[in-house]
Structures are given as C-alpha cells and as structure tokens.
Amino acid sequence: MRKDIIIPEVKNVYIAAVNEFNEEFKTYDWNAYIINDNSEPLETVIIISQGYDCKKMTAPMRKTIQLLPAKGYAKIEYLEENVLKVNNFFTVTYFIGDKLYDKRFEIPANAAIQDNAVSLPVVKKDGVLAR
C-alpha cells in the first residue's frame, strides 16, 4: 500500500534568511522568506517553523499563505538573534494544482551570517538558503 503512494519532489521552492536594514529601528535584521521559483503559483501554503538544540526548543510558529504567485516570494518571520544560535527548521506544505507537496528545510545553528550569503532566485537580494 505505501509503495503505491506517490510523493512528488519539491523543486524550485526555497526558504532563505535575508539580512535587511530595518528603517524603523535603524538595525540590520535577519528575516525568513519563502521563494517560489516555479512557473505555477503555490496554493494554500502552510509553514511551521521551530528552533531547537540539545537543551531547548522554541515554540512553533505557524503561517498560512493562500496564494504565492509564480516567481514570487513572501516574508515568513523575523529571526531574532537568539533564535539564529539554534537549528531552525521550516516544514512547508502546499498545493500545485491538485498535488500536495511537503518538505522540511533547515537553517543550521549559527549559519545565518553574511559570509554564507548567496544570490537568491527571484528575490533581488543575497541571503542564506536553507537546506
């Protein structure tokens, strides 16, 4: 029975941490983004994020995006400095047409630093891609 279930592979969807200037507080802050580099929109996107290490775990954060356009992106959350010191995972579930996709992305502890930044697809900024 389980061998008959086809789980489609997630392609061209990314989670990234982006270091941006916050005009209100005049600081540079890390923010998590979801990026859709597909030619089709993502529908009913559900994102659950949580940070953890061997001693502690943060409370889960949930976000829903009804429609993420093709070649689009959306800010998920602000990543507080202490949260970046632990492993952060993002479980992303969405539909393309009538197919359900699901993937867990992870930003390892202390990986969100400017030295690890790369040019991001769709977003015209540099950031750290989750694995």
Side-chain angles (χ1 to χ4, degrees):
M1 286 267 237
R2 293 182 107 188
K3 64 179 172 49
D4 296 329
I5 299 173
I6 298 170
I7 300 173
E9 182 182 351
V10 171
K11 293 181 182 176
N12 302 319
V13 173
Y14 309 97
I15 297 290
V18 178
N19 195 13
E20 303 175 293
F21 187 71
N22 182 323
E23 288 289 336
E24 183 177 350
F25 296 107
K26 306 294 186 220
T27 59
Y28 281 92
D29 299 329
W30 287 93
N31 294 295
Y33 281 84
I34 183 168
I35 303 167
N36 177 16
D37 196 17
N38 286 297
S39 58
E40 301 172 88
L42 309 183
E43 299 173 38
T44 315
V45 182
I46 300 169
I47 304 163
I48 301 171
S49 67
Q50 195 162 20
Y52 69 95
D53 66 10
C54 60
K55 297 177 185 170
K56 57 189 164 198
M57 183 172 279
T58 66
M61 189 284 303
R62 294 170 180 85
K63 180 165 180 87
T64 302
I65 301 169
Q66 288 303 91
L67 185 70
L68 185 59
K71 304 292 182 186
Y73 61 92
K75 188 184 288 188
I76 301 170
E77 67 178 338
Y78 161 71
L79 297 169
E80 200 270 329
E81 187 176 317
N82 288 323
V83 171
L84 294 172
K85 294 176 183 175
V86 298
N87 300 305
N88 288 277
F89 67 87
F90 299 82
T91 303
V92 179
T93 306
Y94 60 90
F95 285 93
I96 294 180
D98 61 352
K99 288 190 178 177
L100 178 69
Y101 294 79
D102 183 75
K103 184 172 180 178
R104 179 180 170 174
F105 296 89
E106 185 168 357
I107 299 175
N110 302 308
I113 59 173
Q114 207 58 42
D115 288 346
N116 292 340
V118 296
S119 181
L120 299 174
V122 181
V123 182
K124 302 296 182 225
K125 299 177 182 182
D126 290 344
V128 177
L129 283 171
R131 311 185 245 169

